[in-house]
Amino acid sequence: MRCFLYPDIGLIDEQLSLHTEGFFPDEPVNIKVTMSHAKNSVWSASMRTFADSSGKVIFGEQKGDVNELTRLLWKLRPEANTVNSSAQTFRSKTTQLYFTIIGESSGTSFTREVIRLAKEDNLLHEKYEGVGANGEFFCPEGETNLPCLIVLGQSGESLPPQLIAAMLASHGWGTLGLTLQVENENRQGSAIEIETLHRAVDWLEKHRYSDASRIFIYGASHSGTLALYTAAKNPKVKGVIAVNASSHIFQKPEQALSNNSPVMEQGEAVPFAGFSFADKCKKYFRLITGGESDYEQFYFRALEKNKKSGRTDTAVPAENINGPLLLISSKSDKYWPSFRMSQEIIGRLTQHSFKFPSKNIILETSGHQLVLPFLPYKYFMESSGDANGSGEMEICSEGEKAWRAILHFLNKYCPPAPLQQTAPFSREKEHAR
């Protein structure tokens, strides 16, 4: 009897593989994974499969689509009477998983432990503290002249940019996970100062481990729009990844009752596509009644209003970006019409004969919040409130597809340090217990 589950130590975006022998031919086999992290916090998921005619159960030996064993991680849920400590669990450095594999007829059983890392142990770590933002810089130890990436996020988001930054640094990039702080005291009200992002670019450009000629920027939702706008204004940024971003500068829904721009540049308000008076009234009514808000329609109508007015100054000038562009958008985005807006961005690039490569990855069911690869669906949907009626596995599968697209884009246009011996998706060593 043999059981190999590998890698027994790996990054959270790495697929698992299983090879077991010793069951009866075609025997039903139950597999359960349990995760314990904090006190009184237990998550678990189970599946039933069958041994082949040789009494073997094998997952993941062929490269390609996600295997069923890895899909099991998407199904993890808190057990009854357990504390839901999901945010604490998945932002920690390590997560321990325990697999139990039992044949229903033979009684053959195996238990294995797997450790999933949010980041590699060999990453250097440095705090960033700037005006209007704070963050953390990660990079592989012993590497210099690194291509670098700014990962944008804003305070209050369910998924911290530092987690994505650490994951990408584990692939060989220098990364700055940057949390933007909204400026509340300037004369225009609640807004992001675009100079905050320019200062972060300058800091990264001068960093002792960076290659100043290879600085990319990543953002999702409003942060994705800021990533596009910053790159369009700053030629030092050589590439952009924008997930479910907008084609125009918009207010956030909570800003709808004001006439203030959400972005400031050189002390002046950046033009934005505003909500209609009717939608502002609806927003106010929902604020005082606690009713649900159909944000997608708010933004759709704001887009139509802007189009009919003939205004062009509210659009993000993506054609000025000084490098390749990857857009990822979802047809089922219920926050705002990111699919339509991504098409508008691509159309604008075509109109202006954009000279760099650009691509729009279109997702069907993922919604506004992408699920990072091989982390539980329940955590992301509960923390973001973004469930849209689609099937869990479809949403998780599209999150994994998007993550692979991001890695492919960066590997092609901003190649990382050569860490093939440790980077996910390319490890060859099999850990057996």
Side-chain angles (χ1 to χ4, degrees):
M1 296 188 296
R2 297 196 301 170
C3 178
F4 302 95
L5 181 58
Y6 45 85
D8 58 357
I9 302 177
L11 294 179
I12 57 178
D13 64 352
E14 185 173 3
Q15 287 209 54
L16 292 173
S17 297
L18 174 70
H19 184 116
T20 57
E21 301 177 6
F23 301 105
F24 292 155
D26 305 315
E27 178 182 5
V29 177
N30 294 302
I31 301 176
K32 180 178 181 179
V33 57
T34 303
M35 176 181 67
S36 299
H37 176 70
K39 183 179 179 181
N40 299 323
S41 176
V42 179
W43 288 46
S44 65
S46 301
M47 64 177 288
R48 189 172 187 255
T49 187
F50 292 87
D52 62 18
S53 59
S54 301
K56 299 177 182 179
V57 175
I58 299 174
F59 292 110
E61 288 201 342
Q62 295 182 348
K63 294 182 179 180
D65 293 339
V66 179
N67 63 65
E68 290 302 317
L69 184 68
T70 305
R71 286 176 180 266
L72 192 60
L73 304 183
W74 291 339
K75 299 177 182 180
L76 281 163
R77 282 172 166 71
E79 292 186 347
N81 302 317
T82 191
V83 175
N84 185 344
S85 61
S86 55
Q88 181 182 0
T89 298
F90 303 118
R91 295 177 191 182
S92 64
K93 182 180 178 182
T94 62
T95 301
Q96 290 180 296
L97 303 175
Y98 302 91
F99 284 83
T100 303
I101 307 160
I102 302 175
E104 289 185 6
S105 303
S106 65
T108 299
S109 65
F110 305 95
T111 58
R112 295 291 184 268
E113 177 186 350
V114 169
I115 296 176
R116 308 286 278 177
L117 303 174
K119 67 182 184 69
E120 291 281 11
D121 291 332
N122 66 340
L123 293 185
L124 297 179
H125 172 252
E126 181 179 338
K127 291 285 187 181
Y128 172 88
E129 294 183 357
V131 177
N134 56 63
E136 296 176 82
F137 176 78
F138 304 92
C139 72
E141 186 178 10
E143 300 292 336
T144 58
N145 202 36
L146 285 167
C148 288
L149 182 74
I150 295 175
V151 179
L152 289 183
Q154 297 185 42
S155 56
E157 292 181 352
S158 61
L159 188 64
Q162 289 78 8
L163 173 59
I164 298 176
M167 291 172 66
L168 289 171
S170 298
H171 286 265
W173 288 280
T175 60
L176 174 60
L178 195 67
T179 300
L180 300 173
Q181 307 296 329
V182 174
E183 175 60 58
N184 290 309
E185 297 178 356
N186 64 64
R187 61 186 174 87
Q188 294 293 334
S190 178
I192 294 290
E193 299 276 357
I194 206 68
E195 285 75 23
T196 299
L197 295 167
H198 294 324
R199 286 190 292 268
V201 172
D202 291 342
W203 183 88
L204 202 53
E205 178 191 33
K206 298 173 184 177
H207 198 281
R208 61 191 181 280
Y209 295 136
S210 74
D211 177 353
S213 67
R214 294 186 292 169
I215 296 177
F216 280 45
I217 189 168
Y218 165 98
S221 187
H222 287 277
S223 295
T225 307
L226 288 171
L228 291 168
Y229 190 85
T230 300
K233 296 288 185 172
N234 193 333
K236 295 177 182 178
V237 178
K238 303 300 183 181
V240 183
I241 300 169
V243 180
N244 290 328
S246 65
S247 55
H248 293 65
I249 301 296
F250 285 112
Q251 292 175 315
K252 289 185 177 181
E254 58 267 25
Q255 299 170 316
L257 300 181
S258 76
N259 292 317
N260 298 326
S261 174
V263 181
M264 298 283 290
E265 185 174 17
Q266 296 181 349
E268 298 294 330
V270 173
F272 66 98
F275 297 109
S276 68
F277 178 75
D279 279 338
K280 288 185 177 185
C281 292
K282 290 177 183 178
K283 174 63 180 176
Y284 177 73
F285 177 76
R286 285 165 177 162
L287 279 176
I288 63 176
T289 62
E292 294 183 358
S293 296
D294 188 2
Y295 294 150
E296 180 190 19
Q297 290 303 311
F298 280 15
Y299 285 111
F300 181 83
R301 287 191 289 269
L303 206 58
E304 287 297 300
K305 174 188 172 185
N306 186 81
K307 186 176 181 180
K308 289 179 181 179
S309 70
R311 291 188 64 180
T312 59
D313 57 348
T314 65
V316 176
E319 68 276 7
N320 295 331
I321 293 173
N322 191 30
L325 169 62
L326 174 64
L327 298 172
I328 299 175
S329 61
S330 173
K331 290 183 177 179
S332 59
D333 190 339
K334 298 301 181 184
Y335 180 77
W336 57 18
S338 59
F339 168 64
R340 171 183 167 174
M341 292 192 287
S342 68
Q343 290 181 308
E344 291 202 8
I345 294 172
I346 293 297
R348 186 180 179 97
L349 297 181
T350 302
Q351 179 184 356
H352 289 84
S353 301
F354 188 60
K355 64 180 181 179
F356 297 101
S358 61
K359 187 173 184 179
N360 183 20
I361 302 291
I362 300 170
L363 305 177
E364 296 290 335
T365 63
S366 61
H368 192 66
Q369 170 77 42
L370 284 183
V371 177
L372 286 180
F374 317 142
L375 291 179
Y377 165 90
K378 187 173 180 64
Y379 164 57
F380 285 95
M381 293 304 106
E382 284 196 347
S383 61
S384 68
D386 195 34
N388 55 33
S390 302
E392 293 182 16
M393 293 301 98
E394 289 80 4
I395 292 174
C396 291
S397 181
E398 290 200 336
E400 190 263 344
K401 173 185 175 182
W403 183 251
R404 287 181 179 272
I406 290 168
L407 292 180
H408 177 77
F409 176 82
L410 288 173
N411 275 287
K412 184 174 183 178
Y413 298 112
C414 188
L419 303 177
Q420 287 84 359
Q421 71 277 11
T422 58
F425 300 126
S426 62
R427 291 182 181 173
E428 299 295 336
K429 184 177 180 181
E430 299 177 356
H431 300 268
R433 287 180 180 266

